[in-house]
Amino acid sequence: MNKIKHTRIGLLIMISLSINSCAKDFLEEEDTTRYSTEYFETAEGIEALAVSLYGNIRWHFGYEWAYGTTLYGTDEFTNANDLTNELWNTYDSRFGPLGASPETGAANKNVTSPSDLWDQLYYGIASCNTIIANANKISNDEIRNRSLAHAYFLRGYNYYRLTAQYGGVVLQTEPAKGVIRNFERASEEACWEQVISDLRNAYTHFEGEIFTYGKGITWTKATAAHFLAKALLFRSSERNDSWNSSYKVADFNEAIDVCTYAINARGPLTNNYSDLYANWTGIDCPNEQLDEILMAAGHNADEATKGRFGNRTYNYFTPQFSSFSGGWVKRGVWIGGMDFQRCRPTEYTYSVFNHVDDARMWKTFKTVYGTNNVVNNALGVNAGDPGIIMILNTKDDHTYDGYTFGAYVQSPNWKDDNSRLPEWTVGSRQTKSSGNLTSQVGKYVPNVSVLYQNGQYVAPNFKNQSICNFFAGINKTDDGSRTAEKGDAHRDVTMARLSETYLLRAECYVRLGQYGNAMSDINVVRNRAQWKSGENRSFYSDGSQAFENNTLNTGSAATNYTNSNLNMNTYYLSNPTLPVTTAASNLELTAFPNNLPAEDEDVLSKIGATTDYDRALNFILNERTRELLGEWQRWETLSRTGTLIKRAKAFNPEAVNITANKHELRPIPQTFIDGLLNDDGNNLSDEQKAAWQNPGYN
């Protein structure tokens, strides 16, 4: 490989002295930029720098790159009418090493550049290098080992993200001395060796589940175990099959061992799936400290967690409700999400769930908005009536075949057959035994759409839009604690959970041909997903409820909150032949990988998965959707398993330009390549620059 020099400050050669930290008891650290480098050779200084590493992960959730680099262009999400990061989803000619701008065809200036992630990850690595290099100067064993654990973990995590996204990258593992450095692009094999080495070191140095810098969001031995397992699995997965054969068995067995540590140390799973996301009640609430959460980007009301270090994720998963409702449902801090319509679920995402028995579906999708702004009383609507309703029916449901759905003033041939429509509440925060959507043809009914009519997927056809802005969004980021409509959210962003650890271990068992062990782990996750006896299947909640403790919850804002958040879903409208029930459901597998649930068999048929191994692997990918939907890792998972191209082509209608042997990796930022110099100080030639770039992007 060509050895090169780089003169760009802020990539590999910057010592990171200004990263902020997270969670209340370690958010208020001093500004480290006012200290000399000698300060970081002391116990106090090295620990301050270790604490500051938590700030580096908050960046991931501060802007459009949060979903652009992780969720777009996959089987789960596609773009809606907002086209900010459309090119990350469509893989069109604008997607390349230069990035995009309005001048080159991007929708606006907010589009994510390939350099965004690259720069920030190296920024964190520089701080880790300083800690690791200075650790032997610290005589206090506890501080030294704790700081090393954090530094090895973040460096391993950052190189994990770099390698997962870009393939082989530059490995800088020592503090830079000066602004000009000689380095080379390492192979992907060497990069995974570095990632695994760092995470092994972190796993060794962490002292079990001792929380040192905070509560549940603090990195621990289980956190390191989880990501070590992910790195081992990545190295020995399909994307690296050209060179990884000698690693596979040992990697899978080691991953099983470390997963087992995390499961034993932090189990069992949280009993109610809603407690992980939907039942978020405000800043630093108890649900942010659940043992199941292995890693989170911590946020609260402190100034250090605002701006580009703030949590903007509440913007990205809700439909454009204030627009298509004709003003009947206006947005505000009382609704936990903004209507920026970035991430629209695909047909696959809705259909991969068991709509009757899987509680995760109804504890995740927001299907009802209440009217908070009565535009025209003559239509017979009242504040607090359902204003937007998304019916998540299945392909074989023909209840609504003759119905006309659409915008807020329905056409006269809207049908409401009371003998078929389930019971529904109008103007109440709970479901009860009275009321329907409407009882008179031609009267006001909510903005309504369904997934299927006449066996056809019609959800994208709402109002005959070219790209639909009406969909059921997910609630994992909703935050009613915001103090401004577009202000930062205050809730933590979960980055790793124990249920994923079970699925990682199950995948390792699949790869070793141990299908029975894999099924046992999968069933742990699916058993939690079942309805429990006594649960009200029509009840819905999300992080909007944090508004109850918001200082803005007064006057008209309080009324808007009550009218908007009706705590109901469309479970019975979506399953119209099902009688009201509070019985427990059953999702447990009894055979694997054959005789799978119908929703999985449909997916496997569409992608042609026929061997036991392909069926098992793709079932786990389906289960990851059901369990981890929207949790910032889908693109990397599909790239790792060699399924990105096939599943995106099968299930994402907008990903029409995705290309094999190209889009499994991201382009190396052109700004980085252009800053490289040869040893003689001259710029790289065009041929040398092309050699640095990933295949297909020149």
Side-chain angles (χ1 to χ4, degrees), residues 94 99-106:
R94 297 169 296 173
S101 66
E103 291 72 26
T104 59

Side-chain angles (χ1 to χ4, degrees), residues 363-415:
K363 294 176 179 182
T364 297
F365 287 103
K366 185 177 180 71
T367 57
V368 177
Y369 292 80
T371 300
N372 58 36
N373 186 38
V374 177
V375 178
N376 186 348
N377 277 317
L379 294 173
V381 64
N382 298 304
D385 286 351
I388 299 169
I389 293 176
M390 187 72 191
I391 297 174
L392 307 182
N393 64 337
T394 55
K395 190 173 185 177
D396 59 356
D397 171 48
H398 296 280
T399 302
Y400 303 105
D401 285 357
Y403 283 50
T404 299
F405 296 102
Y408 57 97
V409 179
Q410 301 287 348
S411 61
N413 64 336
W414 161 269
K415 293 170 57 179

Side-chain angles (χ1 to χ4, degrees), residues 122-357:
Y122 276 118
Y123 188 66
I125 287 167
S127 284
C128 298
N129 288 340
T130 298
I131 293 170
I132 294 168
N134 289 340
N136 62 356
K137 301 174 184 177
I138 308 304
S139 59
N140 185 306
D141 291 344
E142 182 180 5
I143 292 176
R144 181 179 63 253
N145 289 334
R146 183 187 305 156
S147 299
L148 278 173
H150 282 76
Y152 279 125
F153 175 75
L154 183 67
R155 192 171 74 178
Y157 174 80
N158 280 10
Y159 274 126
Y160 175 97
R161 292 296 315 280
L162 281 166
T163 310
Q165 291 274 328
Y166 303 99
V169 296
V170 174
L171 292 177
Q172 180 75 14
T173 58
E174 297 178 358
K177 296 179 175 63
V179 297
I180 298 177
R181 297 286 295 172
N182 290 327
F183 41 71
E184 60 185 34
R185 183 178 180 182
S187 67
E188 194 160 359
E189 182 175 8
C191 288
W192 285 119
E193 182 58 40
Q194 183 63 52
V195 171
I196 291 166
S197 174
D198 280 346
L199 293 174
R200 281 173 177 156
N201 276 324
Y203 182 70
T204 300
H205 282 88
F206 275 122
E207 299 177 22
E209 303 312 294
I210 299 171
F211 300 123
T212 53
Y213 296 136
K215 296 184 180 179
I217 65 169
T218 304
W219 308 333
T220 69
K221 193 178 187 73
T223 314
H226 178 91
F227 282 96
L228 175 55
K230 292 188 74 165
L232 290 161
L233 192 52
F234 208 128
R235 177 166 70 177
S236 290
S237 289
E238 284 76 2
R239 197 177 89 178
N240 299 320
D241 273 353
S242 64
W243 53 263
N244 65 11
S245 59
S246 64
Y247 296 100
K248 291 194 175 193
V249 173
D251 279 358
F252 299 147
N253 282 319
E254 183 180 358
I256 288 169
D257 288 343
V258 293
C259 282
T260 300
Y261 168 80
I263 288 167
N264 291 341
R266 298 294 287 271
L269 298 184
T270 300
N271 183 55
N272 184 0
Y273 190 80
S274 287
D275 287 342
L276 292 165
Y277 297 102
N279 293 336
W280 190 78
T281 57
I283 300 171
D284 294 334
C285 69
N287 284 1
E288 292 190 342
Q289 313 303 332
L290 296 171
D291 285 343
E292 181 172 338
I293 300 173
L294 301 177
M295 183 179 180
H299 296 83
N300 57 30
D302 190 88
E303 288 295 321
T305 67
K306 296 181 179 179
R308 281 294 169 265
F309 287 96
N311 179 356
R312 305 292 179 87
T313 60
Y314 66 91
N315 288 312
Y316 304 133
F317 295 102
T318 48
Q320 199 176 21
F321 57 83
S322 65
S323 172
F324 62 68
S325 69
W328 295 93
V329 182
K330 64 179 182 180
R331 69 189 190 189
V333 289
W334 52 84
I335 296 180
M338 288 286 282
D339 59 347
F340 284 10
Q341 52 150 347
R342 301 294 200 265
C343 297
R344 175 166 61 98
T346 62
E347 179 184 7
Y348 156 81
T349 298
Y350 296 125
S351 63
V352 77
F353 286 90
N354 181 316
H355 289 221
V356 174
D357 294 329

